[in-house]
Amino acid sequence: MNLSFFDQFSSPSLLGIPLILIAMVFPALLLPSPGNRWINNRLSTLQLWFINLITKQLMTPLDKKGHKWALILTSLMMFLLLTNLLGLLPYTFTPTTQLSMNLALAFPLWLATLLTGLRNQPSVSLGHLLPEGTPTLLIPALILIETTSLLIRPLALGVRLTANLTAGHLLIQLISTATTTLMTTMPVVSLLTLAVLLLLTILEVAVAMIQAYVFVLLLSLYLQENI
Amino acid sequence: LPAAVLLKDTKLMDVKLGQLGSWLATRDFTPGGIMGAMRRGYERYYNKYINVRKGGLGGISMVLAAYVVLSYMWSYSHVKHDRRRKYH
């Protein structure tokens, strides 16, 4: 029996040596840098096409100053996408289930957007704290609410990613345990559970991609407000 | 001495079993040498399976399968408690 369903999220280590670094660096192995040929191999062509798609999608709403952020946002997107998808393979470890890592990604980037806005255009940045057309009596309350919502953004970014992935992995483990346990006693119910597991896995693949996209999209939105 | 120089240049598959110890002694185990060996291994795999005109799913699937096997090996001591056994 499982000691605990949360054991899959403990940081992997081998004889006391932490392996999380290998889990984090491994996606880079799957992205070879294209050679200096006119037509590259299929993997490089696919990768280049995908990165162009993401970069165009992220950079279209931003003006020229925001294009300095293209490299970090695109690499963040590729990193999150690959780590989330690789975590769905059996026995692998997903670093993005660790809240520490997601907060470490969200906090500095959000803070960078905030400080960019406050430094370059302070009144416009602070002006975002009050939506247009609010009644005069509501202004103090709304400023407080908007400040809270601003300060909670990095927490929301990190926790959203962690919670989505952790919940998905836990569900997969629970339903697969149910399927294997029921196979001996009630095989038909076990087949139904297997169908649920199949649908859940498809959902998890979608969630892995969507969560990475949402993370980067929100960051680019915060950047648009502040650039 | 000529035999030692020739031994350094032979490939691993051509080394006789008795010469294995002396062959290993001629290899470069400095950090730079190990990085060089890893780089050569990577380039061999890349140029054989991925950097080809009509590469398929197999090239990248082998890497992912190796990653799964490696993750299983790393988490075995943890996973063995989850088996349905009377005595773990």
Side-chain angles (χ1 to χ4, degrees), chain A residues 86-226:
Chain A
L86 280 175
L88 289 170
L89 292 172
Y91 299 112
T92 47
F93 176 71
T94 327
T96 35
T97 50
Q98 310 295 311
L99 184 64
S100 51
M101 183 173 123
N102 294 338
L103 281 178
L105 283 174
F107 235 109
L109 291 170
W110 163 81
L111 196 63
T113 60
L114 184 68
L115 291 178
T116 317
L118 283 178
R119 186 171 184 265
N120 296 337
Q121 37 181 36
S123 43
V124 175
S125 266
L126 288 174
H128 279 300
L129 288 177
L130 188 65
E132 280 184 35
T134 55
T136 325
L137 284 175
L138 278 178
I139 290 182
L142 213 53
I143 299 262
L144 284 172
I145 292 173
E146 289 285 334
T147 314
T148 322
S149 123
L150 177 73
L151 292 177
I152 217 167
R153 277 177 182 176
L155 280 174
L157 275 176
V159 172
R160 179 187 303 113
L161 190 56
T162 313
N164 267 293
L165 287 180
T166 316
H169 282 247
L170 266 175
L171 266 176
I172 289 180
Q173 190 165 9
L174 279 167
I175 296 188
S176 50
T177 313
T179 313
T180 44
T181 317
L182 283 173
M183 242 190 311
T184 48
T185 45
M186 291 186 278
V188 180
V189 181
S190 175
L191 276 174
L192 281 172
T193 330
L194 190 65
V196 174
L197 185 62
L198 199 66
L199 293 172
L200 186 65
T201 313
I202 298 174
L203 177 72
E204 279 312 307
V205 171
V207 164
M209 296 192 281
I210 290 170
Q211 284 306 316
Y213 176 62
V214 158
F215 193 97
V216 177
L217 184 73
L218 280 175
L219 267 178
S220 77
L221 279 171
Y222 302 154
L223 184 65
Q224 277 171 48
E225 281 183 359
N226 283 317

Side-chain angles (χ1 to χ4, degrees), chain B residues 31-70:
Chain B
I34 293 182
M35 292 303 293
M38 285 169 67
R39 166 62 55 181
R40 269 172 297 156
Y42 172 79
E43 292 285 327
R44 257 177 72 183
Y45 185 85
Y46 183 66
N47 287 325
K48 181 165 183 192
Y49 290 110
I50 303 189
N51 203 9
V52 291
R53 203 184 312 144
K54 292 177 73 169
L57 262 181
I60 195 169
S61 306
M62 283 193 275
V63 178
L64 293 178
Y67 182 53
V68 169
V69 168
L70 211 62

